[in-house]
Amino acid sequence: MAVNISISLNPGLYLKDPQQSALGKRIIKHSILLIDEIGFEQFNFKKLAEEMKSTEASIYRYFENKHLLLTYLVSWYWEWLNYMIQIKTFNIDDPKKKLEVIIHTFVLISEENPAIEYVNESSLHNLVIAESTKVYHTKGVDEENNKGFFLNYKDMVSSVAQVILEIKPDFPYPHALASNLFEMTNTHFYFADHLPRLTDIDNKAGQKEEVERMLLFFISKLLD
């Protein structure tokens, strides 16, 4: 069953909030699917308009350019992931169990329910795996950081870092470990599918469970 969830994102990412209109939600829906299908390099507003049976001008009323649209989509994912982490760990007191649940959520977020009608979670997850580093590996990253474009990511990492410190208060690198757990999840999915000699994860059924076991292995060694 679809639910109505409005994700709070930096207003500097858009000209008009796409979550507040039917057309805006269609832009979100079709941009996720099209970027997943053809890749960000080949994606543009003309192709998106054709996919939506709309006009480029209608898309430009919501987003200034495709980079900001991609940043919006990835930020939406970060915020949604943090939302799911908070829900799933709310009633858990044991910090080790909390971190296990967080890792499980990192790995299986694309399978979470209830679904949001205009977001294909599986395609969005694929987009994040393949394209998310293009959001902040840019020459303009410092300017965009100053505008607060990455606060959703920072908030998610900070919440995970806090759990790490609950487990081991003297651990010297909680934010580094938190961001690495998230990035490793996505990087090793990508490596398994495209650059298999860079990982020990196989491209096969059970890949998600194997990635989860790998992450749990690392935290067991680092946080004991």
Side-chain angles (χ1 to χ4, degrees), residues 6 16 48 118 132 150 161 163 195 205:
S6 182
K16 182 179 179 181
L48 177 58
Y118 55 94
S132 63
F150 312 116
V163 174
L195 300 167

Side-chain angles (χ1 to χ4, degrees), residues 116-152:
I116 297 164
E117 185 176 11
Y118 55 94
V119 174
N120 182 305
E121 289 87 353
S122 179
S123 291
L124 180 58
H125 189 221
N126 292 340
L127 182 154
V128 169
I129 290 170
E131 313 287 0
S132 63
T133 56
K134 296 166 189 173
V135 166
Y136 49 85
H137 284 189
T138 68
K139 289 293 186 181
V141 62
D142 295 325
E143 179 181 354
E144 292 182 348
N145 184 48
N146 289 335
K147 293 178 181 178
F149 284 6
F150 312 116
L151 283 176
N152 305 91

